[in-house]
């Protein structure tokens, strides 16, 4: 039985905590770290305690809190399952910390579809990778790029592209919105070469991510439409399910993907 700690028990963390408490074979949730008291009957721990007490620590924090957690987990040579993929681009020191550790970082597919095929094609050759993310305006509010450029999201009458650039720039501009782009870039051709578009659509109900990845041997296109989490419209519940799936695949007799 592997001991699991959860860092961050907001919209996604709560789904993961509930699944672990309901029971996932091979795992036991033994601690939760959050600024607020979680509504689960599980011991509250600091990041340091999670890293000391647990084998696997699941991260579901705001990206800014990730370096502190990663430091504790990697110093203890433990496994970090990391949802805030943007943090790996914004805080490259995390990858430096990993190099000095036997601990491992695992990035789930999150809200994205098609990552398995992208990783496979990455073992051969990828020439181009792009992702277009479309969200209802409410899911993009308060992003640094929106605030800095005074983008009015309240009076859109039609779908509007509000950002185009590299995955690296997108991660800095929309740290809570483009984890999928960060994940795609890590699976494919990196944050400088992966192109990202962010669209605000006043008529959209879902968070939609469309990828096109091209190589000499394959062209991958995928589209996923995710219902936003009711308690955090920036996030999609699919991302939490991808962590549960990753845990199940780690211990499965037959694992897909
Ligand atoms: N990989 C993906 O595809 C994907 C998809 C959606 C969301 N995400 C990311 O997953 C992360 C979690 O998303 P969410 O919707 O659950 O966020 P959320 O805001 O609902 O929850 C974050 C939780 O972290 C807690 N917290 C904040 N700072 C903390 C600190 N210093 N120490 C301890 N706890 C702290 C908050 O109290 C809150 O409960 C975000 O970074 C989000 O961008 C990733």
């Amino acid at each position: 039985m592997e001991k699991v700690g959860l860092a961050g028990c907001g919209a996604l963390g709560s789904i993961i905590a509930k699944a672990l408490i309901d029971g996932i074979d091979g795992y036991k949730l033994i601690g939760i770290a959050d600024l607020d008291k979680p509504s689960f009957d599980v011991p509250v721990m600091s990041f340091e305690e999670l890293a000391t007490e647990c084998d696997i620590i699941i991260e579901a924090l705001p990206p800014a809190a990730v370096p502190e957690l990663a430091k504790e987990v990697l110093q203890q040579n433990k496994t970090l399952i990391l949802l805030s993929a943007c943090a790996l681009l914004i805080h490259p020191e995390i990858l430096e910390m990993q190099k000095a550790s036997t601990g491992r970082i695992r990035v789930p597919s999150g809200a994205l579809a098609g990552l398995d095929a992208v990783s496979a094609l990455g073992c051969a050759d990828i020439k181009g990778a792009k992702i277009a993310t479309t969200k209802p305006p409410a899911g993009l509010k308060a992003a640094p790029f929106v605030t800095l450029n005074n983008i009015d999201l309240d009076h859109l009458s039609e779908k509007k592209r509000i950002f185009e650039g590299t995955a690296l720039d997108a991660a800095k501009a929309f740290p809570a919105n483009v984890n999928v782009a960060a994940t795609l870039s890590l699976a494919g051709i990196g944050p400088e070469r992966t192109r990202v578009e962010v669209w605000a659509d006043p008529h959209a109900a879902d968070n939609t991510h469309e990828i096109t990845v091209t190589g000499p041997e394959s062209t991958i296109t995928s589209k996923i439409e995710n219902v936003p989490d009711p308690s955090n419209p920036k996030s999609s519940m699919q991302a939490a399910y991808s962590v549960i799936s990753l845990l199940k695949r780690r211990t499965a007799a037959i694992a897909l993907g």
Side-chain angles (χ1 to χ4, degrees):
M1 187 75 80
E2 289 189 280
K3 290 185 275 184
V4 180
L6 177 65
C9 197
L12 302 183
S14 295
I15 297 172
I16 297 163
K18 183 172 181 313
L20 282 161
I21 291 165
D22 287 349
I24 303 178
D25 274 354
Y27 302 98
K28 181 171 170 49
L29 179 63
I30 65 154
I32 295 178
D34 200 292
L35 296 177
D36 302 326
K37 187 170 169 17
S39 56
F40 297 98
D41 189 17
V42 175
V44 175
M45 296 185 178
S46 65
F47 290 168
E48 187 184 359
E49 287 167 329
L50 284 186
T52 306
E53 300 296 328
C54 303
D55 306 303
I56 298 170
I57 293 85
I58 298 169
E59 177 278 322
L61 297 163
V66 177
E68 190 193 336
L69 175 72
K71 180 167 162 265
E72 299 291 349
V73 175
L74 294 170
Q75 268 179 359
Q76 300 277 345
N77 299 312
K78 301 290 178 65
T79 293
L80 178 63
I81 297 181
L82 186 134
L83 265 171
S84 302
C86 276
L88 293 178
L89 274 52
I90 305 168
H91 303 287
E93 68 270 22
I94 297 174
L95 296 175
E96 290 306 310
M97 288 187 244
Q98 195 284 321
K99 284 181 195 161
S101 168
T102 56
R104 291 286 175 266
I105 299 175
R106 296 285 175 256
V107 181
S109 55
L112 193 62
L115 203 63
D116 50 351
V118 176
S119 299
L121 193 58
C123 295
D125 190 14
I126 295 176
K127 294 289 185 209
K130 62 181 180 186
I131 177 165
T133 285
T134 305
K135 294 195 176 189
L140 294 163
K141 277 195 174 167
F145 187 82
V146 171
T147 308
L148 204 66
N149 294 289
N150 286 319
I151 298 173
D152 180 5
L153 293 172
D154 289 325
H155 300 96
L156 291 178
S157 55
E158 59 189 35
K159 184 175 170 176
K160 183 178 179 190
R161 191 178 74 185
I162 60 170
F163 175 89
E164 202 284 328
T166 66
L168 183 58
D169 289 340
K172 293 174 185 161
F174 297 91
N177 294 103
V178 296
N179 289 290
V180 282
T183 304
L184 176 67
S185 75
L186 294 167
I189 51 176
E192 309 267 9
R193 290 176 61 207
T194 302
R195 304 298 299 178
V196 181
E197 293 181 4
V198 178
W199 294 75
D201 184 352
H203 306 299
D206 295 337
N207 296 328
T208 301
H209 309 291
E210 292 181 75
I211 66 169
T212 308
V213 177
T214 53
E217 289 145 7
S218 302
T219 298
I220 301 162
T221 55
S222 90
K223 177 179 178 180
I224 185 165
E225 296 170 77
N226 297 317
V227 174
D229 190 293
S231 57
N232 182 2
K234 296 184 187 71
S235 293
S236 307
M237 292 163 287
Q238 171 76 7
Y241 306 145
S242 80
V243 172
I244 298 166
S245 161
L246 191 156
L247 289 173
K248 289 183 172 178
R249 278 180 285 127
R250 282 181 82 250
T251 54
I254 299 174
L256 306 174

